[in-house]
Amino acid sequence: MAITAAFPKANPEDYPENLELKFLQLVHRHGERTPVRKRLETIVPSIWDMCQANAQMFAIIASVTGDNIKPTFTGVPLRRLVETEVGDGKQVTSPAGACYYGQLTNVGRASVTKLGASLRDIYVNRLKFLPDEWDEKAFYIRSTDYNRTQESVQQLVSAGLYPPGTRDESFTLKIRTRDPRDDNMFPNPSCKRLRQLTRDFNKTVKEQCKPKLEKISEKMRTYVPEVSLDSHPSANGILDTLVAAKAHGFHLPPDIDDDLLEDLADVVSHEWFAGAMQSKEISRLSLGRLMGDIRDRMDRKVNGTDKQVGEENLKMAIYSGHDTTVGPLLIIMGVFDKRWPPFSSSVLFELFKEKKPESSSWFGSLWKKSSEDEGYYVRVRYQDKLMKLPGCADAGKHHPNGDKSLCTLAAFREAVDNQIPKNWAEECNA
């Protein structure tokens, strides 16, 4: 199974001269991290010395006089240290650089840097679409409220997309976050109807996965009594720990081989994503709202209403999320490959506009825009591959040159609209 993503590349033929890039959106998974909980300690150590880049930070200290807090702030060095209980009231403190659970590692920082650098190569160096130097007005950045996603997008932008030398001393990266209870960048468990549908569907999933889980349990009998969707640790927890360990070069026992990891990945992918693949309602309630945000930003660029929300200078929107962000988005568009989205995986949405012919040409006098979005095309790139959306396959729904990866904006909108909730809160309480 793929653990780290393949990064976007662009061939010159991907960008016909008659098309002009008008807007860009990126949804990405965070980089490699530690396991989110302590598991399988006989195989994988619980503390990893792989977060040196996270060891030194700056705490912001407010200047306080009496009851007044002055608006001047000072940064002071701060180090996070991992402390472990070892029994009898004793604690052991690991050296700076040891990792907490679910924490972005040095390896993860390197991979999201590479993702950012690949984006710079395409959209700054080759296409000259994004500015050569950082311009805050050109970017919208949002992250889920997790350290690993926020640190990933910081690294992506500040080390890969706009490394030192391309931003001045006043550079401040503004990252928007939302209340986790209302966040739309993962299937939000605060949605009552989604919880119910998922719970009901999981009963079916357990039966469907039973033969493969029995096979996995037999192979892992040395390490855990049983592997199921709700065992302790669960199939998902075991996969999380083993994949994280493999991504960081830990030596795994010979019987935990690639075939076992593939079987685990198949089961967990089915557990987490099959519901959205088989139920449009689950799909809509999971990531439909984020798909709506992506669609709406494109629409505003086309119809000029971006000015009404202060986004007239916006060139790129970045959404930093999780595997459970990437997978359901691909499902909505009908291009999910049933493979677990690897670390630093990315989904790019490119909005193009067909260039108007030269007015001096006799043909130019015949060129007329018959509808607001005519001449606009949307292309989706997942990792290093151009996606051909099923909803854009028919004649008239993609570019006349035959490139089925270039959806007409109308066809793209039609393909996703029925999976964007009109009123998410109302549907969730149904």
Side-chain angles (χ1 to χ4, degrees):
M1 62 175 291
I3 293 175
T4 299
F7 301 118
K9 300 180 181 67
N11 299 313
E13 56 267 27
D14 293 341
Y15 297 94
E17 289 186 4
N18 65 321
L19 292 182
E20 178 184 8
L21 186 60
K22 302 298 289 185
F23 192 52
L24 179 66
Q25 298 187 80
L26 166 71
V27 179
H28 73 92
R29 186 188 177 191
H30 56 74
E32 287 84 343
R33 54 155 173 76
T34 55
V36 296
R37 290 186 183 85
K38 184 188 295 186
R39 309 184 190 98
L40 303 176
E41 290 182 89
T42 60
I43 304 173
V44 179
S46 57
I47 297 175
W48 296 12
D49 184 26
M50 292 190 177
C51 295
Q52 286 77 11
N54 302 351
Q56 184 148 341
M57 305 173 294
F58 288 91
I60 302 301
I61 307 301
S63 177
V64 181
T65 305
D67 293 332
N68 297 321
I69 298 179
K70 295 182 180 179
T72 56
F73 297 87
T74 304
V76 298
L78 167 71
R79 289 199 172 202
R80 294 189 299 200
L81 303 175
V82 175
E83 182 178 271
T84 309
E85 287 278 354
V86 293
D88 298 326
K90 296 180 181 178
Q91 300 87 31
V92 173
T93 301
S94 300
C99 293
Y100 293 91
Y101 300 118
Q103 190 171 344
L104 188 70
T105 63
N106 304 333
V107 174
R109 287 183 178 274
S111 72
V112 288
T113 297
K114 290 176 183 174
L115 173 57
S118 72
L119 298 176
R120 182 172 181 85
D121 181 55
I122 298 169
Y123 299 106
V124 177
N125 299 337
R126 298 190 192 186
L127 299 183
K128 313 296 182 186
F129 174 68
L130 296 177
D132 185 60
E133 296 188 353
W134 173 255
D135 179 358
E136 179 184 295
K137 297 188 295 297
F139 293 88
Y140 169 95
I141 300 173
R142 184 153 72 86
S143 169
T144 59
D145 198 21
Y146 288 79
N147 284 343
R148 60 181 174 269
T149 52
Q150 293 177 40
E151 291 175 350
S152 288
V153 75
Q154 290 171 28
Q155 189 79 23
L156 184 152
V157 174
S158 306
L161 186 54
Y162 286 95
T166 65
R167 43 188 169 83
D168 59 31
E169 294 180 0
S170 65
F171 171 77
T172 300
L173 191 65
K174 295 179 180 178
I175 303 174
R176 294 163 174 84
T177 60
R178 295 185 181 180
D179 182 336
R181 293 170 297 181
D182 190 46
D183 205 330
N184 65 7
M185 288 179 60
F186 50 81
N188 200 312
S190 68
C191 179
K192 176 183 173 184
R193 176 63 176 163
L194 180 60
R195 288 201 314 272
Q196 176 190 335
L197 289 168
T198 303
R199 186 168 57 247
D200 292 345
F201 189 79
N202 278 351
K203 295 174 185 176
T204 303
V205 170
K206 284 182 182 180
E207 287 302 310
Q208 292 172 338
C209 293
K210 191 174 180 179
K212 191 163 279 190
L213 282 166
E214 289 175 351
K215 176 184 172 185
I216 293 169
S217 292
E218 186 62 34
K219 292 184 76 171
M220 292 205 68
R221 196 77 68 194
T222 304
Y223 312 104
V224 291
E226 180 193 20
V227 181
S228 70
L229 301 188
D230 47 16
S231 57
H232 300 284
S234 66
N236 175 56
I238 291 169
L239 180 69
D240 173 80
T241 300
L242 294 178
V243 166
K246 191 175 178 66
H248 291 84
F250 282 99
H251 176 72
L252 298 176
D255 49 351
I256 299 182
D257 54 18
D258 288 345
D259 288 342
L260 176 63
L261 290 178
E262 287 285 356
D263 285 344
L264 268 169
D266 286 346
V267 166
V268 176
S269 182
H270 193 69
E271 176 191 7
W272 283 74
F273 300 127
M277 293 183 72
Q278 296 181 31
S279 164
K280 286 248 192 303
E281 187 177 8
I282 292 178
S283 176
R284 185 171 63 251
L285 295 177
S286 294
L287 265 292
R289 288 186 299 160
L290 180 61
M291 188 75 256
D293 286 352
I294 292 166
R295 175 204 62 188
D296 291 347
R297 282 206 159 85
M298 286 191 273
D299 281 348
R300 289 197 292 267
K301 280 293 168 190
V302 171
N303 60 34
T305 55
D306 53 350
K307 300 178 181 64
Q308 298 175 12
V309 294
E311 293 187 350
E312 62 269 26
N313 297 310
L314 192 65
K315 298 179 80 69
M316 183 178 189
I318 302 175
Y319 311 85
S320 182
H322 310 264
D323 40 19
T324 50
T325 310
V326 172
L329 272 185
L330 297 174
I331 290 170
I332 285 174
M333 296 182 288
V335 291
F336 184 53
D337 59 4
K338 301 182 182 180
R339 314 296 295 173
W340 196 266
F343 294 117
S344 296
S345 52
S346 61
V347 185
L348 282 163
F349 297 84
E350 298 171 318
L351 175 67
F352 296 96
K353 183 180 182 181
E354 198 148 30
K355 295 177 183 177
K356 185 177 179 180
E358 293 295 331
S359 57
S360 58
S361 158
W362 69 269
F363 182 73
S365 61
L366 302 177
W367 191 91
K368 291 181 181 178
K369 186 172 70 170
S370 59
S371 68
E372 188 175 73
D373 57 13
E374 186 166 330
Y376 282 92
Y377 297 90
V378 177
R379 184 165 61 193
V380 178
R381 188 188 297 269
Y382 176 49
Q383 301 191 67
D384 62 342
K385 293 183 174 63
L386 297 179
M387 297 288 99
K388 296 179 181 179
L389 277 58
C392 305
D394 293 344
K397 294 190 173 184
H398 53 264
H399 197 276
N401 68 6
D403 186 347
K404 294 182 180 180
S405 73
L406 286 168
C407 297
T408 65
L409 177 57
F412 177 83
R413 192 186 291 118
E414 182 183 355
V416 302
D417 272 3
N418 67 346
Q419 294 187 73
I420 297 172
K422 299 290 187 292
N423 187 321
W424 184 77
E426 189 175 284
E427 290 189 37
C428 282
N429 291 322

